[in-house]
Amino acid sequence: MDWPALSAVRSALVVTMPLVFLGALAVLLNSLPLESYRLFMESQFGLNWRLFGGYIWNGTFAIISLVMLFSIGQHMADQYNTAVNPLVQVNPVIAGLISLSCLLCLIQPEGAMLPQRWTGVAGLFVALLVGYISSRIFLFLYSIKWLRLHLPGGNTELAIPQAFNALFPGMCTVLLFAALGVAVNSIWGTTLHEAVHALLRMPFDMAGDNLERGIFYTFSLQLLWFLGIHGANVLDPITHDIYNTLMSANEAAAALGLPLPHVMTKSFLDVFVFIGGCGTSVSLAGALLLCGKTQSNKRLAVLSLLPGVFNINEVLLFGLPVILNPIMLIPFIFTPILLAALSYAAVFYELVPGTSRIVEWTTPVLFNGYYTTGSIKGSLLQLFNIGIGILAYAPFVRLADRLHGRQVSAAFSQLMDRACTTSTGPLGQRCIDRRDAAGTLARSLLVDLEEDRLHGRGIFLEFQPQVASDTGAVVGVESLLRWRHPLHGMIPAPIIIALAEDSALIRPLGLWILEEACRVRKAWLDEGIEDVVMAVNVSALQLEDSLPAKVVEILKRHSLPPDLLEVEVTESSALDAGTPESLVLSRLHAMGLHIAIDDFGMGHSSLKYLKQFPVTSVKIDGAISREVVTNPICADIVASITRLCASRGMTSVAEFVESDEQVMVLRALGCDVFQGYRYSKSLLADACLAYIRASYTRGQELADGNTGYVVHF
């Protein structure tokens, strides 16, 4: 199979996880080997209490092959629509149904019923092959233009042309598999499932009842899991016919008081090798908790421990992920092999009793070791194996953490570059529509941002002072959004804004910023700070017709005069005169708010803004103000902007002022207000209030560039 095929199989397994979990819980519910539990259930629900779990099993594990097959067809069709033929789309549901029909053509009914053995986990291997091959054949035939039954004239119902396009390709595919079923039955006198099952059994039968066969079985199962294929389900025929048979022989011998004839049985593997599920997942979870540095992986390990105790490990395998993760290849495959060899030796040399009682695979860890051996030594061997597994996984967990950190850093760097651009992707977004690691990170961050906003966690404002060039007093502050992520720490503001603008989150988040800024400004007003304007950045997406009314409501709620609030709009928003957005800005100005154009000077239409909007102040782009000392062209641009602002009665604000040389040049060029690290970084509300008060006393000394009076909080 090629990598897209493995991706389709893995995706199909992931989407069926709810059924797998529910089926596992049903098995646990019906088969927990505690006499007190059985008596309790009978007393509460009657002798037929297992009926409920049986119905769940019938709707989950009993048909898991059919569900997986249908899902593979859907995912293969999605891949085709995305990468192969974007113009003539195939309906994924039709592709799934075609694959399902192909499989049913190969299953010999038992009377009027389909055999549950082949519709359940035992038939999964054939279902995966049929799902992949039938999908490839159907999509190949679908790509042949003359086989598609095109309906001219168009149709408003999308399903109709898709169904007609798939008519002949689908019929041909199903007929081909029906012919295959007849051919297999004629040649071998059996069904394809039975033939494949016999072929799968052949190497295990040849190996004999020894440690080598157990190691080969363990290796095969683990390798399938690593490739994204449910190894336990695919090899279920082997498990059922060989290792369950050996376990039954042990149980019969124990009942007669005879020595146990076999060491490696189904219960042996479940109890001593696959502790917590395939890959000895309990040990992997322990290594993540004890040796891991990534908080997300630690949290995943905690979440996986409870189902892991009952040997349900899909949460960990797909959440980490282990599947197709080259770092985890060695420990995931070879840790169970090591434990199989150690446990075999312990039982063979009679250090631990053999497995003499059958236990369901969902029986809790440690209890199952005691129950199947009839000795506490079985549980002690489990604890020893868990410790060995943790030691085996530990170095690879540390290596994965280091590589994960590098990948996250690279993804953040890509997101930062993308967030700072004005160009958008094919869906009109900057970050979340990317189909790479950065896009995955962006979508994950967006979910976390919405959660933190709703629950009031991690999101706060800082305020950067704006200092008058002639007096050194603070005349304004810019409110800046900050987000402290629980795992990644402080997220850069451009990424936050880009994520919010890529979604509908920018509107509620923008209102929260406005509300919080007004609350802080009212608190300062109550402290006697009367002549400092609070600036709030507003995205063009927020400039809706309802915004002025919401602003009025917020100002009234905080009893704040409108002339203490300034709305900053980035000129890259490219607002045109007469647009709804420009009319909203005019209404805000008419209400008494200040209007500022941010990042002025680098856009193609900077001067147009001064004509179109009622601008109060202009913030010179940082790319210009940073080079004003070394680049004469930047100095000329600043001089032109300040002269224009002076003639129009606007305030000119220089951002990113970071040195005394900048202060001297910008003041000589006529800038009115400075903002940057030369004076202060962004501060929390209380620290900013203290800075404002201190600026009143520093006065002209601060404006003269005396660095001894610069305060950094």
Side-chain angles (χ1 to χ4, degrees):
M1 290 186 182
D2 54 15
W3 288 108
L6 289 176
S7 176
V9 171
R10 180 172 61 177
S11 298
L13 179 59
V14 170
V15 299
T16 56
M17 278 180 59
L19 299 184
V20 173
F21 267 80
L22 189 58
L25 291 176
V27 173
L28 176 63
L29 179 70
N30 280 9
S31 58
L32 189 64
L34 291 175
E35 185 66 17
S36 58
Y37 168 77
R38 183 185 64 79
L39 294 175
F40 171 79
M41 296 298 286
E42 287 182 356
S43 66
Q44 296 296 315
F45 304 104
L47 295 177
N48 293 325
W49 63 273
R50 289 187 174 89
L51 197 60
F52 179 71
Y55 284 147
I56 296 176
W57 188 88
N58 286 335
T60 54
F61 280 164
I63 58 167
I64 196 66
S65 289
L66 305 182
V67 175
M68 281 280 289
L69 179 88
F70 181 84
S71 185
I72 289 174
Q74 283 190 305
H75 284 89
M76 294 286 286
D78 285 334
Q79 292 178 357
Y80 175 88
N81 290 337
T82 301
V84 180
N85 195 343
L87 296 178
V88 183
Q89 300 281 290
V90 60
N91 190 319
V93 175
I94 294 177
L97 291 174
I98 295 298
S99 295
L100 182 59
S101 295
C102 291
L103 180 68
L104 296 178
C105 289
L106 301 173
I107 299 179
Q108 184 71 33
E110 296 176 351
M113 303 289 292
L114 289 175
Q116 281 193 334
R117 183 183 186 190
W118 301 128
T119 61
V121 294
L124 189 58
F125 183 71
V126 173
L128 295 178
L129 291 177
V130 172
Y132 172 71
I133 296 172
S134 64
S135 297
R136 290 297 295 266
I137 293 174
F138 168 67
L139 294 174
F140 169 74
L141 296 175
Y142 191 89
S143 66
I144 301 175
K145 185 176 180 180
W146 57 269
L147 282 178
R148 294 196 299 268
L149 189 59
H150 176 65
L151 292 180
N155 199 298
T156 57
E157 182 64 42
L158 179 62
I160 294 177
Q162 288 183 334
F164 273 85
N165 281 334
L167 185 61
F168 287 126
M171 291 171 57
C172 292
T173 305
V174 174
L175 290 173
L176 183 63
F177 275 83
L180 175 64
V182 172
V184 171
N185 188 270
S186 300
I187 297 173
W188 287 288
T190 185
T191 65
L192 181 65
H193 287 82
E194 296 286 356
V196 172
H197 171 51
L199 188 63
L200 279 176
R201 277 199 57 165
M202 190 177 299
F204 294 96
D205 288 334
M206 293 173 59
D209 182 18
N210 51 35
L211 175 62
E212 288 77 8
R213 181 171 69 179
I215 290 177
F216 177 60
Y217 171 83
T218 303
F219 174 82
S220 303
L221 187 146
Q222 294 299 122
L223 182 61
L224 286 171
W225 254 119
F226 180 79
L227 295 175
I229 303 171
H230 201 303
N233 289 348
V234 171
L235 296 181
D236 181 76
I238 308 302
T239 307
H240 181 273
D241 290 355
I242 294 180
Y243 288 109
N244 266 352
T245 302
L246 299 182
M247 186 62 232
S248 297
N250 271 16
E251 191 174 41
L256 297 174
L258 300 175
L260 303 181
H262 306 290
V263 173
M264 192 165 290
T265 65
K266 172 68 162 60
S267 294
F268 175 94
L269 294 167
D270 289 341
V271 169
F272 298 128
V273 180
F274 306 128
I275 308 173
C278 295
T280 319
S281 298
V282 165
S283 294
L284 175 55
L288 290 172
L289 286 173
L290 297 175
C291 307
K293 302 298 182 182
T294 305
Q295 291 300 316
S296 59
N297 287 346
K298 285 180 176 288
R299 183 178 301 177
L300 177 66
V302 172
L303 293 175
S304 68
L305 275 179
L306 180 58
V309 169
F310 298 98
N311 302 300
I312 302 171
N313 65 344
E314 281 83 358
V315 172
L316 187 59
L317 296 189
F318 287 95
L320 189 57
V322 173
I323 308 305
L324 295 179
N325 184 344
I327 300 174
M328 290 296 168
L329 172 63
I330 293 176
F332 183 73
I333 290 181
F334 291 101
T335 297
I337 292 176
L338 173 63
L339 298 185
L342 292 175
S343 302
Y344 188 94
V347 174
F348 183 82
Y349 291 107
E350 300 182 352
L351 300 177
V352 176
T355 54
S356 58
R357 286 191 283 185
I358 296 174
V359 292
E360 287 290 345
W361 62 274
T362 52
T363 305
V365 173
L366 298 184
F367 175 78
N368 58 4
Y370 171 79
Y371 182 82
T372 193
T373 61
S375 170
I376 191 66
K377 292 181 180 179
S379 300
L380 293 177
L381 178 58
Q382 283 185 298
L383 287 174
F384 175 78
N385 285 355
I386 290 172
I388 293 296
I390 291 175
L391 293 176
Y393 272 112
F396 296 93
V397 167
R398 296 192 185 99
L399 175 61
D401 280 343
R402 288 195 294 270
L403 293 180
H404 176 73
R406 295 174 188 170
Q407 292 169 353
V408 170
S409 297
F412 265 112
S413 178
Q414 293 172 3
L415 275 187
M416 190 65 179
D417 292 341
R418 188 67 173 153
C420 291
T421 66
T422 58
S423 59
T424 60
L427 301 180
Q429 298 163 328
R430 283 184 283 172
C431 297
I432 64 174
D433 60 353
R434 292 174 61 109
R435 297 302 172 189
D436 55 10
T440 301
L441 176 62
R443 290 184 288 274
S444 174
L445 288 174
L446 182 57
V447 174
D448 295 339
L449 180 60
E450 173 66 3
E451 283 291 312
D452 283 1
R453 184 192 70 84
L454 290 175
H455 297 92
R457 297 187 299 244
I459 298 176
F460 59 96
L461 293 184
E462 288 186 340
F463 307 90
Q464 188 168 32
Q466 298 171 337
V467 176
S469 63
D470 55 349
T471 66
V474 175
V475 294
V477 295
E478 180 180 3
S479 57
L480 300 169
L481 179 63
R482 298 290 183 258
W483 178 29
R484 184 177 288 107
H485 191 275
L487 300 179
H488 301 300
M490 296 300 295
I491 305 298
I495 293 179
I496 306 173
I497 301 303
L499 292 176
E501 289 184 339
D502 279 357
S503 64
L505 186 59
I506 187 63
R507 295 174 180 87
L509 185 61
L511 288 177
W512 179 87
I513 295 172
L514 186 62
E515 184 88 40
E516 182 67 9
C518 289
R519 183 192 65 80
V520 171
R521 186 61 189 91
K522 180 58 169 63
W524 291 352
L525 186 62
D526 293 342
E527 293 288 335
I529 306 300
E530 298 180 350
D531 54 355
V532 174
V533 175
M534 174 70 73
V536 177
N537 289 280
V538 174
S539 167
L541 299 175
Q542 296 174 249
L543 296 177
E544 299 176 316
D545 190 59
S546 60
L547 181 62
K550 294 175 180 177
V551 171
V552 169
E553 181 182 342
I554 293 173
L555 291 173
K556 286 183 177 179
R557 185 158 48 245
H558 295 284
S559 301
L560 192 67
D563 61 349
L564 292 182
L565 188 65
E566 181 176 75
V567 172
E568 286 191 17
V569 181
T570 303
E571 71 158 287
S572 59
S573 303
L575 305 175
D576 293 321
T579 61
E581 293 85 357
S582 66
L583 296 177
V584 170
L585 281 177
S586 299
R587 289 168 59 190
L588 292 173
H589 182 266
M591 290 164 46
L593 276 70
H594 299 270
I595 305 295
I597 300 298
D598 199 8
D599 298 336
F600 187 86
M602 295 300 289
H604 63 84
S605 56
S606 299
L607 298 179
K608 179 180 70 173
Y609 281 79
L610 302 186
K611 180 185 73 172
Q612 292 178 180
F613 301 115
V615 177
T616 308
S617 59
V618 170
K619 301 189 73 173
I620 302 171
D621 191 276
I624 298 174
S625 60
R626 277 195 178 105
E627 298 184 22
V628 72
V629 177
T630 58
N631 192 330
I633 296 178
C634 290
D636 291 339
I637 293 174
V638 171
S640 300
I641 293 174
T642 57
R643 284 196 300 269
L644 183 60
C645 287
S647 65
R648 300 279 297 174
M650 304 173 188
T651 301
S652 56
V653 181
E655 296 184 286
F656 296 97
V657 180
E658 299 169 349
S659 67
D660 292 341
E661 291 79 7
Q662 278 181 282
V663 170
M664 294 173 59
V665 174
L666 290 169
R667 184 183 294 125
L669 293 173
C671 285
D672 301 313
V673 176
F674 300 145
Q675 177 181 346
Y677 276 27
R678 164 60 179 80
Y679 297 99
S680 175
K681 64 179 182 180
S682 58
L683 307 169
L684 294 175
D686 291 342
C688 190
L689 176 60
Y691 187 93
I692 293 170
R693 285 174 170 163
S695 75
Y696 290 161
T697 61
R698 289 195 297 274
Q700 190 61 44
E701 292 175 308
L702 188 62
D704 289 340
N706 187 340
T707 57
Y709 290 91
V710 177
V711 179
H712 294 280
F713 289 85

